[in-house]
Every structure is written in C-alpha cells, then in structure tokens.
Amino acid sequence: MGKPKKKDLPDLSHLCVPGAEIAVRAAPKAARNAIVQAEGMLKISVTAAPENGKATEAIRSLLAVAMGTAAANLELRRGATSRSKVFVYTGPA
C-alpha cells in the first residue's frame, strides 16, 4: 500500500478530541484508498485485504493521516473482525 497523500483526503482534524469515538464502516479490497463522510460515520475504503488485521491497520493509518496525527493515537475499541469499527482518539488535544 502506497502512502496516501493528504490532499486526497478530507480534513478530519476536528476529530482530534481526547476520548472521541469515531465510527467507521470499512470497505477492504477496494480499488483505491478513500474516506467519505456519510450519516454520522466515516466510510473508509482501503486496498488491503481483510486478513490478519491488514485492512484494520490500513484503515487506522489512513484515518490518522486525515486527522493529522500518529496512528498510535488511534485505539480500536470495537470491530476487530467486523466491517463496523469504532476507534477512540487517545492523543493530546
């Protein structure tokens, strides 16, 4: 997976609030990496396959780039093997 360009992603820096839960609907094995805001959740498409957590890690890193933070600041709360996931921002304000 190539490193996503910040200009191709929406600005999600407003989600960088400690303890904020971010609902995500995952779409693995997509044609390209993308983030779309829809109905109170984010639809994130990644090219990674959903095996051994590769798609979840790709989603975490793509979301971190869009938020302008490190991937280590995003903790997976629910949905390790599900398409519906919830990440929590644990970084600084």
Side-chain angles (χ1 to χ4, degrees):
M1 175 176 98
K3 197 166 199 177
K5 293 181 176 64
K6 177 72 173 153
K7 68 177 182 153
D8 296 336
L9 300 173
D11 180 23
L12 300 177
S13 59
H14 65 279
L15 297 174
C16 290
V17 178
E21 290 191 349
I22 304 158
V24 171
R25 181 71 175 168
K29 292 182 76 173
R32 63 184 181 90
N33 294 332
I35 297 178
V36 177
Q37 294 176 318
E39 303 166 15
M41 73 169 31
L42 299 172
K43 294 178 106 178
I44 301 181
S45 304
V46 292
T47 57
E51 53 191 31
N52 300 327
K54 289 179 185 175
T56 301
E57 287 307 311
I59 289 168
R60 182 193 318 256
S61 63
L62 190 65
L63 184 58
V65 169
M67 291 174 65
T69 187
N73 292 334
L74 292 171
E75 174 187 310
L76 182 64
R77 175 76 43 95
R78 285 191 307 267
T81 59
S82 171
R83 289 185 61 185
S84 296
K85 300 178 184 302
V86 175
F87 287 94
V88 175
Y89 178 72
T90 59

